[in-house]
Amino acid sequence: MDMNAFFENALDGLRDAGNYRVFADLERHAGDFPRATRYRPDGETHDVTVWCSNDYLGMGQNAVVTSAMKEAIDRCGAGAGGTRNISGTNHYHVLLEKELADLHGKEAALIFTSGYVSNWAALGTLASRVPGCIVYSDGLNHASMIEGIRHSRAEKRIWKHNDPEDLERKLAADDPERPKLVAFESVYSMDGDIAPIAEICDVAEKYGAMTYLDEVHAVGMYGPRGGGVAEREGLMDRLTVIEGTMGKAFGVMGGYIAASTALCDFVRSFSSGFIFTTALPPALAAGATASIQHLKGNEILRRRHKERVAKLRAKLDARSIPHMSNPSHIVPVMVGNAAKCKWISDLLLDSYGIYVQPINYPTVPVGTERLRITPTPLHSDADIDHLVGALNDLWSQCALSRAVA
């Protein structure tokens, strides 16, 4: 079998369907978020405004964060030097875990190299090591959660997205003596909808199930100290595990879980995804700690961010550009065709200096292709006007449907 031909044929299929991913080659401008330089394939460069970053509050460019990282490099050097067990636990890691535990009102926290790894490792370990555990997974959970559950080989039940009644039906049908784990997210990153956390906790508690909440798109963004949707709604104490990331609103890199001391120690002691992985560089841990501390006391950024989202939505409505209504900070502008979605994204980048990545299948279902826009507190009124004006131009050129008032 000609394997290269097989690979090329598979890639050609993605291109023909409009689902082939092209990475924008960007160089972010330190201290000037959301600006970046784009390097074109022909070697030319031009400035762009980034509208799809998960650095939701621009903390990756914040001087509080970058100064802490520089200081840590000067004190400790670059890498951690090993796994957490073998020389790789730096004091910055210990401080970060204490900061995260405090953020979520938990006894302890455990950090990983990414949010993907923390979900894969924690869910995989809990579900495989707790005898007879059944996992109840929301139907739209992230790939990292799905992979962790699959890796565990535990029995699983998929319940309808954000539907506590369907969750209860599935819990009620199983042996009441078996351990149970309910896994779900707070903010779902593609549609921007938010889970009914209280109702899900009600059902889980009724059947004695543990709860595992992924807050990766919410930490830093919601709650009086940035602890996420569960903090905003006063529910953190009802959740067995809260999982999050330092790579989005906190602007750095890494994932974590926050839970009881015993649970975190259990995952630390039994998870191969933790045990055999080189620890985060101390500078990243220092930057994440500084970012969390800063956002715990900075409600101004969160208020400004909320206002920017509302202004963008109002401007889109004024031009009848269809966008999915939701209660979060994510603004999905609906295109509904993979080829057109990529075409619009390419033109925005090449002709308007606007970078918004197209979101196509398999990330979202066929027919729901979109531009996932993430406003930040640092996008100006002029930025918003330029984006909406460009979308209005391309909507007309592409003969796409307008939203009905």
Side-chain angles (χ1 to χ4, degrees), residues 64-77:
V64 170
V65 175
T66 57
S67 295
M69 294 181 72
K70 290 172 185 176
E71 180 184 344
I73 286 179
D74 289 341
R75 287 171 64 93
C76 303

Side-chain angles (χ1 to χ4, degrees), residues 249-262:
F250 293 131
V252 193
M253 179 183 174
Y256 65 88
I257 59 169
S260 68
T261 299

Side-chain angles (χ1 to χ4, degrees), residues 222-397:
Y222 301 90
R225 300 196 308 158
V229 177
E231 185 198 23
R232 183 187 71 182
E233 299 179 3
L235 299 169
M236 292 192 297
D237 62 308
R238 298 181 65 186
L239 294 150
T240 310
V241 181
I242 296 175
E243 186 268 350
T245 183
M246 284 84 75
K248 293 183 170 62
F250 293 131
V252 193
M253 179 183 174
Y256 65 88
I257 59 169
S260 68
T261 299
L263 189 150
C264 288
D265 200 12
F266 181 86
V267 174
R268 181 189 72 89
S269 300
F270 290 105
S271 171
S272 63
F274 178 85
I275 294 168
F276 299 106
T277 299
T278 299
L280 281 174
L284 288 175
T289 301
S291 182
I292 294 163
Q293 290 173 342
H294 180 74
L295 289 176
K296 279 179 177 178
N298 194 320
E299 189 63 26
I300 295 172
L301 269 178
R302 284 187 282 275
R303 285 201 301 265
R304 165 76 174 173
H305 183 265
K306 187 176 180 180
E307 183 273 328
R308 295 286 83 189
V309 172
K311 176 157 281 192
L312 174 60
R313 286 188 179 276
K315 296 273 187 179
L316 291 170
D317 287 339
R319 298 294 187 98
S320 298
I321 304 295
H323 58 97
M324 187 178 291
S325 178
N326 64 53
S328 77
H329 58 283
I330 294 164
V331 183
V333 170
M334 306 307 292
V335 179
N337 177 283
K340 288 183 178 181
C341 196
K342 185 179 186 307
W343 180 81
I344 290 172
S345 174
D346 289 345
L347 277 178
L348 286 171
L349 188 58
D350 292 335
S351 302
Y352 293 89
I354 293 169
Y355 174 48
V356 185
Q357 187 71 10
I359 307 295
N360 295 334
Y361 178 84
T363 306
V364 296
V366 172
T368 69
E369 293 82 3
R370 68 199 63 181
L371 301 169
R372 179 183 176 273
I373 297 174
T374 53
T376 75
L378 302 176
H379 284 99
S380 67
D381 285 352
D383 292 332
I384 293 174
D385 288 341
H386 182 53
L387 170 65
V388 175
L391 287 172
N392 185 61
D393 292 346
L394 296 178
W395 234 252
S396 296
Q397 291 181 38

